[in-house]
């Protein structure tokens, strides 16, 4: 196997010092154009690639930003990652995307890996509701920003969406269409988004003069299509059956829609359906899905920008901020028939 060219090889080939090669790579404006051209030609000829691990040891951290999400199978988090990546690339950084699969144990393992790799910072949607994983990670003094979470205190940056308002938008829309019995297909109750969306749904019912019992909860351990199909089967067994369903995310709603369709239940004539997140597949469903839109890519971009500001903001200091974005109701065919 041929030996990999090093910086000393480039210096010898170009007839310059190692320091000059380093300047061409890191501070090209400090090198005369003719010399810079000679060094770049040597780099191209030898196929030299600088050692990121060596640079990392000198700098004390890498040029990699980590993103740890709950479920990369959910297109919502794909859009979050896309927004974060754009901000990171604009700053000359890469993004390492990891999936905790809603597991606090896997989250802890990844946070340990990020500390070992000396990432410049972490964007995280926590799976550990206790906060112990992030508390332990904080000892490494690596900045992190919460994504799709409200900050737990003044010492943390966060970007989230007003999910209480989002739940109220979804159920308020169903009430305005004449529904008076609504099912809420929820998810893991240790996720604050699930609780906030329920709270919003209940507030909409209260605003319409209806009791909390007008909301029938169908719990779920997961937030995926398979869990939605199971919830749909349980919905069909309810007596009396609610005339409308609000799902905690679009994947659940798509699973419910599959079950209703297979059972011959007409959506929205027999049961109206509203999802949450407004992923790309929502509009492309067999019955286009009404959904509460959350600006996923914007969340990712803003979270990355906050992280970059904290990690590279210089001597001006960094002020921790909690940004809360507003959701938007997108009405489609799955809820469009008034009763």
């Amino acid at each position: 196997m041929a030996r990999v060219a090093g910086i000393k090889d480039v210096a010898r080939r170009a007839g310059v010092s190692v320091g000059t090669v380093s300047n061409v790579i890191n501070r090209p404006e400090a090198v005369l154009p003719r010399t810079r051209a000679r060094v770049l030609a040597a780099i191209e000829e030898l196929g030299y690639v600088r050692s990121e691990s060596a640079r990392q040891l000198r700098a004390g951290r890498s040029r990699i930003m980590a993103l740890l999400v709950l479920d990369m199978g959910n297109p919502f988090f794909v859009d979050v990652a896309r927004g974060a990546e754009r901000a990171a690339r604009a700053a000359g950084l890469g993004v390492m995307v990891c999936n905790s699969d809603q597991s606090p144990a896997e989250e802890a393992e990844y946070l340990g890996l990020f500390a070992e790799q000396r990432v410049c910072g972490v964007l995280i949607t926590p799976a550990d509701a206790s906060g112990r994983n992030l508390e332990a990670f904080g000892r490494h003094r690596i900045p992190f920003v919460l994504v799709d979470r409200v900050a737990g205190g003044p010492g943390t940056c966060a970007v989230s969406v007003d999910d209480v308002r989002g739940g109220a938008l979804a159920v308020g829309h169903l009430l305005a269409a004449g529904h008076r019995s609504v099912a809420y297909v929820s998810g893991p109750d240790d996720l604050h988004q699930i609780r906030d969306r329920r709270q919003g749904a209940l507030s909409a019912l209260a605003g319409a003069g209806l009791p909390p019992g007008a909301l029938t909860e169908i719990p779920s351990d997961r937030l995926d299509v398979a869990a939605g199909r199971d919830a749909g089967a349980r919905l069909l067994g309810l007596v009396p059956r609610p005339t409308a369903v609000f799902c905690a995310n679009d994947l659940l709603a798509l699973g419910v829609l599959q079950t209703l369709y297979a059972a011959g239940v007409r959506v929205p004539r027999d049961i109206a359906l509203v999802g949450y997140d407004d992923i790309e597949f929502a509009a492309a469903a067999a019955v286009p899905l009404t959904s509460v839109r959350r600006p996923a890519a914007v969340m990712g971009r803003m979270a990355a920008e906050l992280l970059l500001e904290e990690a590279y903001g210089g001597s001006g200091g960094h002020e921790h901020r909690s940004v809360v974005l507003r959701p938007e109701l997108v009405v489609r065919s799955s809820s469009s028939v008034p009763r």
Side-chain angles (χ1 to χ4, degrees):
M1 181 181 295
R3 186 175 68 86
V4 176
I7 192 170
K8 292 181 180 180
D9 299 309
V10 173
R12 279 194 296 268
R13 179 63 59 91
V16 299
S17 69
V18 169
T20 298
V21 177
S22 178
N23 282 338
V24 169
I25 295 170
N26 299 296
R27 297 189 303 124
E29 72 282 355
V31 183
L32 290 173
R34 187 164 56 182
T35 304
R36 187 165 65 238
R38 197 162 70 247
V39 171
L40 291 174
I43 288 174
E44 177 70 21
E45 183 180 347
L46 294 173
Y48 168 74
V49 177
R50 73 174 178 179
S51 171
E52 174 60 20
S53 59
R55 190 214 62 81
Q56 182 176 320
L57 286 171
R58 292 192 299 271
R61 60 184 173 189
S62 75
R63 294 186 299 117
I64 298 296
M65 176 187 300
L67 171 63
L68 182 58
V69 301
L70 292 177
D71 179 12
M72 278 306 297
N74 186 338
F76 170 79
F77 288 113
V78 175
D79 288 341
V80 169
R82 184 175 292 114
E85 183 183 27
R86 286 173 182 165
R89 285 179 63 85
L93 303 178
V95 178
M96 172 171 43
V97 182
C98 300
N99 177 29
S100 71
D101 199 30
Q102 301 179 36
S103 165
E106 290 193 31
E107 175 182 274
E109 290 181 9
Y110 274 122
L111 288 173
L113 174 65
F114 300 157
E116 290 174 6
Q117 295 297 314
R118 301 180 183 179
V119 297
C120 69
V122 176
L123 306 177
I124 180 171
T125 303
D128 175 26
S130 73
R132 285 191 290 268
N133 284 345
L134 281 176
E135 182 181 355
F137 181 71
R139 301 188 188 112
H140 298 288
R141 299 188 179 279
I142 297 174
F144 63 86
V145 174
L146 304 182
V147 182
D148 197 25
R149 285 288 191 279
V150 177
T156 306
C157 281
V159 181
S160 63
V161 170
D162 186 348
D163 283 318
V164 174
R165 177 178 173 80
L169 284 173
V171 174
H173 166 69
L174 294 170
L175 296 175
H179 299 279
R180 291 298 178 265
S181 176
V182 180
Y184 174 46
V185 178
S186 63
D189 207 52
D190 57 351
L191 298 179
H192 85 88
Q193 300 100 317
I194 302 303
R195 301 192 299 271
D196 285 353
R197 291 166 203 175
R198 180 192 302 116
Q199 181 183 338
L202 291 171
S203 70
L205 291 171
L210 295 173
L215 186 73
T216 301
E217 183 161 356
I218 302 176
S220 175
D221 293 334
R222 304 285 298 181
L223 291 165
D224 53 29
V225 173
R229 286 195 293 265
D230 176 70
R234 284 179 281 154
L235 169 68
L236 292 174
L238 294 177
V239 180
R241 184 186 296 170
T243 62
V245 182
F246 166 44
C247 296
N249 77 358
D250 286 340
L251 295 182
L252 288 172
L254 292 172
V256 170
L257 180 61
Q258 288 178 7
T259 297
L260 296 181
Y261 183 82
V265 176
R266 296 168 298 176
V267 176
R269 187 168 297 278
D270 298 328
I271 295 180
L273 183 63
V274 176
Y276 207 96
D277 288 340
D278 194 33
I279 62 176
E280 183 178 356
F281 300 126
V287 180
L289 183 65
T290 294
S291 186
V292 177
R293 176 178 295 164
R294 297 196 295 160
V298 173
M299 291 175 66
R301 174 181 59 78
M302 294 184 71
E305 289 172 350
L306 286 172
L307 185 64
L308 290 167
E309 180 184 292
E310 183 172 359
Y312 300 102
S315 59
H318 170 75
E319 179 182 351
H320 290 294
R321 299 191 300 280
S322 182
V323 179
V324 181
L325 304 173
R326 291 171 68 87
E328 173 190 359
L329 181 71
V330 181
V331 179
R332 299 191 181 97
S333 303
S334 70
S335 66
S336 63
V337 178
R339 301 183 65 85

